[in-house]
Amino acid sequence: MTAAIPTRTAPTEPASPLARLSRLRRPRRPPHDDRDDRGGRGGRGGRGFRIAGADVSASISVFLIALPLSLGIALATGAPLQAGLVAAAAGGLVVGRLGGAPLQVSGPAAGLTVVTADLIQQFGWRVTCAITICAGFAQLGLAALRVARSALAVSPAIVHGMLAGIGVTIALAQLHIVLGGTPQSSAVDNVRGLPAQLANLHPGALSVSLLTIAVLLAWPRIPGRTGRIVRKIPGTLAAVAIATTLAALAGVSLERVDLPSWSSHALPALPEGPVLGLLAAVLTVTLVGSVESLLSAVAVDKLTAARKKPGVHIPRARLDRELAGQGAGNVVSGALGGLPITGVAVRSAANVASGAVSRNSTMLHGLWVAIAALLLVPVLDLIPLAALAALVMVVGVQMVNLVHLRSVQRNREMLVYVVTLAAVVFTGVLEGVVIGIAVAVAVALHRLTRTRITVEVQDGIHRVRARGQLTFLAVPRLSRVLHQVPWDSDCVVELDGSFMDHAAFEALHDWQMAHIAHGRVAEFTGRAGGRIAEPATESPTCCRPWTPWRNHRCGEHSPGQVNASQHGERTRVVPPADAPSAADPSAADPSGGKPSGGAPPAFASTTATPFTADRPANDPSTADASTTDQPASDPSAADLSGTAWPGAKKTAMCHTLSAGAARSPGVRQLASGISSFQRNTAPLVRGELARLAREGQRPSQLFLTCADSRLITSMITSSGPGDLFTVRNVGNLVPLPGADGADDSVAAAIEYAVDVLRVESITVCGHSGCGAMQALLNTPADADGDGPGVGTPLRRWLRHGLPSLERMRSGQHSWARISGRLPADAVEQLCLTNVVQQLEHLRAHESVARRLAEGTLELHGMYFHVGEAQAYLLADGVGARGDFSGEEVFDRVAPTTLEESRA
């Protein structure tokens, strides 16, 4: 029993659950089970500093990758080779301890190679160290301003283009060393010098370089058991080690690594040179290093989240803290004569893949680099420079990532990517990024203003298609095309875009009002052909997109609208006597066609359906597919609907093409929802449902929950057709097999799901404010032995919940609770306890017990707080394999952030 769980003693006298809760002793601090980013229990009461074995092994793997890369990057920049080792050690020890991404590995990176090489050529090495220090202080300032997340606003096409341009520049420079020569000062000069270099090859350097490249590319592809064994050694280390060994054995005369004595290591000097040039240098190092580090941190978050390592909690990256850590690392690295530091995606990915569980692995890798720099100098001096150059050249080529290229092409950003790449190669990193941003802005403006409007006649109906964004710049062309439509013909306007400003809205609305005033049809559709609709009333709808199920008091349907919508009928609107004339479309409203209150008026349509859901209430998976047009909350971009004209009386006459008998309000509401599904959702899911009809259902889990109408299972689980096999009953109860009055329908569903459908998991979901649990609590303590089972079917059914009530009142079990707080009242306490108890009932079913023993089935508990719209899951490991001996804690399910999808 931990301090976080209230202790209890068995009372000598019966006490109600509320009285028992009132005597609970609240803990001094909110209970929690989170672990800190050091891998141990959070809090100050730890037993001391511990290092997990997984961190030690991961740090060695990262060290073996970082050592040759650090030397190679230092060689590529023209800096002293010790500078790469200093930067790697500072990145591991300083950034690893202070940074906000626990598993990210920092050090010298290829992304800053070109920038650093230019600075060394322009200002010299010692001034470059001072620039690195200033860039570190600038990063600390940016972190204090908490602007780290703004770096994620940069277009991925610009970032990938910048990295690809840097990679091309690196590859061109290192190619000269691979061929046995010396690189030039710029990419253009390196290209021009290639013919002469090819005519004067150095066989020894070329052979060592080719061997290094061959080993580096073949190492991950070694098949079989041998491949699995040798791949435990990083490919970079293997390539450099093999090339070094063979070069030494063959006695090839080559330039090799020459690490001078640390006593002569160059330290920073005061900046000298033009002030603007120095400021531009600091700005370049700051921006490029910060963007690369932050995007790498987000990528590491994604890799960590995808790694299935039970029992290990890795906190998400805190970007402002990570930026501050990078700044501190650059200050230390520059002060010690090291290269600029940034987050390195390759080493970070290796750290995650090697099983690191805390920031200790990053810090240990820095320690190993420092030890190697001090003790392994004789070994490092054996490495040929051609091998390091080949290694860095391959890294540069890999920076032109084909996956990123396909993503950019798919999102129609290829122009931005190519221009940024070329600009970085020919002008420099900072200039290239500025040019890329300018091109990205120009492309965005072009797309915003480019609208294609066409008209054609099909079966006597004029169809106007508007492709692109509708802004005020497109209004002249839009008006010209719309006024070419004859007044005596029906017209359908298809809108295919994601934005419509007020000017375009007014133009469409005015034309529609005038066209309808002539007694003709004017309808608006989306790209898929679905009719766009907006509520007839001027008051906003508060429950979109679930409006067909209107369990609220936002307004009432007019009888004519409901009667028309229940059949999905097409209507021909006949204007009343006070309707606006064709000559004066704005006469319908004193405000010039706008409803009072300033809100834009709704579009009129030929269908009098008052409310149209963009998405069905019972299928959230369809929601994503049906929201590709406009957000429903924006009047100017929403479903443009079937109402009459502004200011028209609600008693407008509608001649329906088909009529039906009057129905009760409940039936009308149901029919309206079904009609909305057939019109908007059925076309989107018909293909998937047809596939399920052919192949049969293969749900992944059995979801057992309460019959409460407020629980929409597919909505809260973001599931779609065929995902969940759902069983619902009052109180989400699972009767014990053979119990008196047991309901075979629940047992039959469990058997069918487990043995026939072979579901992989079973989830029992309770919820707040459960009426069944309230009824159990209100049962008198001295009731008849049959308890609530005497009398009505409902009371007989609730007998299966008595074990949950007894479990809560008993002192033999720990309290079921939500992480971080105690239950709000006795009802919530019983709702949580009931979930745990029903999971135990599931174990008593033969089919469930058998699958649990085989290890092919998992049990999960879930609690949904209706008022908070918040889900909680029973803590990992509790009940998953049928073991409920641990603490019964429900953890809050946090929303997924948008940044996790950006890298």
Side-chain angles (χ1 to χ4, degrees):
M1 194 73 68
T2 66
I5 298 181
T7 57
R8 301 169 294 173
T9 57
T12 57
E13 297 180 0
S16 67
L18 283 175
R20 298 172 68 85
L21 281 175
S22 65
R23 294 198 297 267
L24 291 179
R25 180 166 50 87
R26 281 192 179 273
R28 295 181 181 178
R29 294 168 56 187
H32 62 86
D33 298 310
D34 296 338
R35 296 175 180 268
D36 63 10
D37 57 9
R38 295 185 300 274
R41 281 277 178 185
R44 300 180 180 178
R47 296 183 177 180
F49 182 74
R50 292 182 178 180
I51 299 177
D55 284 333
V56 176
S57 60
S59 69
I60 295 175
S61 298
V62 177
F63 158 71
L64 296 178
I65 296 173
L67 185 64
L69 281 177
S70 299
L71 292 173
I73 290 171
L75 173 66
T77 60
L81 295 183
Q82 292 109 317
L85 300 178
V86 170
L93 293 172
V94 179
V95 184
R97 181 64 187 90
L98 303 179
L103 300 189
Q104 171 155 279
V105 180
S106 300
L112 282 171
T113 300
V114 177
V115 175
T116 308
D118 290 341
L119 295 181
I120 293 174
Q121 289 183 358
Q122 184 177 359
F123 299 104
W125 168 242
R126 300 184 66 185
V127 174
T128 300
C129 292
I131 292 174
T132 302
I133 296 175
C134 295
F137 283 118
Q139 288 178 316
L140 289 172
L142 292 176
L145 296 176
R146 306 184 67 84
V147 298
R149 292 192 179 274
S150 61
L152 303 179
V154 180
S155 170
I158 297 175
V159 176
H160 298 325
M162 177 193 72
L163 295 177
I166 293 173
V168 170
T169 305
I170 293 173
L172 290 174
Q174 298 309 299
L175 181 58
H176 282 269
I177 302 180
V178 167
L179 298 176
T182 303
Q184 304 299 317
S185 59
S186 68
V188 176
D189 293 337
N190 283 322
V191 172
R192 291 174 179 172
L194 273 179
Q197 187 63 60
L198 291 172
N200 187 23
L201 295 177
H202 189 290
L206 182 60
S207 59
V208 170
S209 299
L210 291 178
L211 177 62
T212 304
I213 295 173
V215 174
L216 193 61
L217 297 180
W219 199 257
R221 296 172 175 82
I222 299 176
R225 182 180 179 183
T226 303
R228 290 194 297 271
I229 294 175
V230 300
R231 277 195 294 272
K232 294 181 180 180
I233 302 174
T236 54
L237 178 67
V240 174
I242 292 174
T244 302
T245 303
L246 293 181
L249 293 177
V252 180
S253 176
L254 292 171
E255 290 189 55
R256 302 180 186 274
V257 170
D258 183 16
L259 292 176
S261 172
W262 286 102
S263 60
S264 61
H265 180 60
L267 296 177
L270 291 176
E272 296 178 358
V275 176
L276 292 180
L278 292 171
L279 291 177
V282 172
L283 179 63
T284 302
V285 174
T286 302
L287 294 183
V288 175
S290 299
V291 170
E292 187 173 356
S293 299
L294 296 176
L295 293 179
S296 175
V298 174
V300 172
D301 267 356
K302 293 179 64 177
L303 293 175
T304 305
R307 185 179 65 178
K308 296 182 179 179
K309 195 173 182 67
V312 177
H313 171 67
I314 307 296
R316 286 201 300 266
R318 296 164 57 187
L319 298 185
D320 289 304
R321 177 177 172 180
E322 177 63 21
L323 186 57
Q326 295 291 334
N330 275 317
V331 171
V332 173
S333 178
L336 296 179
L339 291 170
I341 289 174
T342 182
V344 188
V346 175
R347 295 172 222 176
S348 301
N351 193 33
V352 175
S354 299
V357 296
S358 73
R359 63 177 69 247
N360 290 335
S361 63
T362 304
M363 298 170 63
L364 284 174
H365 127 269
L367 179 62
W368 306 144
V369 172
I371 293 175
L374 294 174
L375 303 181
L376 298 181
V377 173
V379 177
L380 298 178
D381 284 344
L382 298 175
I383 300 175
L385 295 183
L388 294 179
L391 175 64
V392 176
M393 187 182 74
V394 172
V395 172
V397 172
Q398 291 175 343
M399 292 176 71
V400 186
N401 194 305
L402 294 180
V403 176
H404 294 162
L405 197 61
R406 285 192 289 267
S407 175
V408 168
Q409 184 177 15
R410 185 170 56 250
N411 291 281
R412 300 186 302 168
E413 298 284 346
M414 184 58 71
L415 176 63
V416 178
Y417 179 89
V418 172
V419 170
T420 305
L421 187 155
V424 169
V425 171
F426 290 106
T427 64
V429 176
L430 184 60
E431 297 85 350
V433 170
V434 172
I435 293 173
I437 292 175
V439 173
V441 172
V443 169
L445 291 176
H446 174 71
R447 290 175 178 172
L448 187 63
T449 58
R450 183 176 178 269
T451 306
R452 183 184 177 189
I453 304 172
T454 60
V455 61
E456 62 181 11
V457 181
Q458 295 179 356
D459 300 328
I461 299 177
H462 285 70
R463 297 186 177 273
V464 178
R465 291 183 173 87
R467 301 283 189 269
Q469 321 311 321
L470 289 176
T471 65
F472 65 93
L473 297 174
V475 168
R477 283 181 293 151
L478 178 64
S479 299
R480 182 169 61 253
V481 172
L482 290 177
H483 283 84
Q484 291 175 0
V485 178
W487 292 110
D488 57 351
S489 64
D490 295 340
C491 182
V492 176
V493 179
E494 180 181 317
L495 304 176
D496 179 15
S498 59
F499 176 76
M500 177 194 301
D501 69 1
H502 190 70
F505 174 82
E506 286 290 339
L508 285 171
H509 173 264
D510 293 343
W511 169 82
Q512 186 188 39
M513 296 299 100
H515 202 77
I516 291 178
H518 284 79
R520 304 308 301 179
V521 173
E523 189 173 278
F524 292 89
T525 68
R527 182 176 185 179
R531 193 172 42 77
I532 300 177
E534 181 73 10
T537 177
E538 295 177 7
S539 61
T541 57
C542 62
C543 288
R544 292 183 72 95
W546 316 107
T547 46
W549 290 260
R550 293 180 58 80
N551 186 21
H552 56 70
R553 304 179 184 276
C554 289
E556 300 295 334
H557 300 270
S558 65
Q561 292 170 333
V562 174
N563 190 49
S565 64
Q566 69 181 352
H567 301 289
E569 301 157 340
R570 293 181 60 85
T571 65
R572 181 63 56 84
V573 182
V574 178
D578 58 350
S581 64
D584 186 12
S586 63
D589 193 285
S591 63
K594 300 178 184 177
S596 59
F603 283 117
S605 174
T606 58
T607 304
T609 305
F611 296 97
T612 299
D614 295 327
R615 291 164 283 184
N618 63 342
D619 191 3
S621 66
T622 312
D624 293 338
S626 60
T627 56
T628 56
D629 289 330
Q630 302 294 342
S633 60
D634 184 358
S636 64
D639 293 337
L640 314 173
S641 160
T643 70
W645 38 90
K649 295 182 179 179
K650 293 184 179 180
T651 57
M653 300 175 60
C654 294
H655 298 286
T656 59
L657 300 180
S658 61
R663 296 179 180 177
S664 65
V667 176
R668 287 200 302 269
Q669 181 178 350
L670 177 63
S672 175
I674 296 173
S675 174
S676 176
F677 166 79
Q678 294 298 147
R679 180 175 61 253
N680 300 316
T681 307
L684 301 174
V685 300
R686 187 170 286 118
E688 176 66 11
L689 291 178
R691 183 189 67 81
L692 291 173
R694 291 191 307 269
E695 301 176 1
Q697 61 171 327
R698 291 188 179 92
S700 60
Q701 64 174 289
L702 167 62
F703 197 85
L704 197 150
T705 187
C706 185
D708 194 293
S709 63
R710 296 168 294 180
L711 263 69
I712 307 175
T713 57
S714 56
M715 180 176 70
I716 63 179
T717 59
S718 296
S719 56
D723 290 340
L724 301 180
F725 187 76
T726 307
V727 175
R728 306 186 69 149
N729 60 51
V730 175
N732 49 275
L733 301 177
V734 180
L736 286 168
D740 185 21
D743 187 351
D744 286 340
S745 67
V746 177
I750 294 173
E751 181 181 352
Y752 183 77
V754 173
D755 289 342
V756 179
L757 298 179
R758 304 294 295 180
V759 296
E760 300 173 357
S761 65
I762 303 177
T763 301
V764 176
C765 177
H767 67 96
S768 61
C770 181
M773 300 300 103
Q774 182 67 55
L776 283 173
L777 281 174
N778 291 336
T779 301
D782 57 350
D784 187 80
D786 288 336
V790 178
T792 66
L794 176 60
R795 291 183 177 178
R796 289 195 297 273
W797 169 255
L798 289 181
R799 284 194 306 177
H800 303 299
L802 286 176
S804 301
L805 186 60
E806 295 171 358
R807 183 188 187 97
M808 188 184 78
R809 292 173 174 172
S810 169
Q812 303 301 319
H813 302 279
S814 61
W815 285 83
R817 60 182 177 83
I818 291 175
S819 177
R821 67 175 177 85
L822 295 174
D825 51 29
V827 176
E828 184 173 74
Q829 177 67 73
L830 184 55
C831 291
L832 296 168
T833 304
N834 182 58
V835 171
V836 180
Q837 184 64 37
Q838 301 313 312
L839 287 172
E840 289 197 359
H841 286 186
L842 276 171
R843 293 187 63 200
H845 287 260
E846 179 184 356
S847 57
V848 175
R850 183 177 63 256
R851 290 280 303 279
L852 286 173
E854 296 172 355
T856 59
L857 182 68
E858 293 185 352
L859 305 183
H860 300 288
M862 176 177 169
Y863 177 74
F864 186 75
H865 195 292
V866 176
E868 299 175 355
Q870 177 62 55
Y872 300 86
L873 286 177
L874 196 59
D876 290 343
V878 180
R881 298 293 181 186
D883 179 17
F884 295 91
S885 58
E887 300 177 8
E888 300 161 5
V889 180
F890 289 77
D891 293 328
R892 179 179 179 271
V893 180
T896 303
T897 61
L898 293 177
E899 290 81 359
E900 291 177 354
S901 63
R902 297 284 303 276

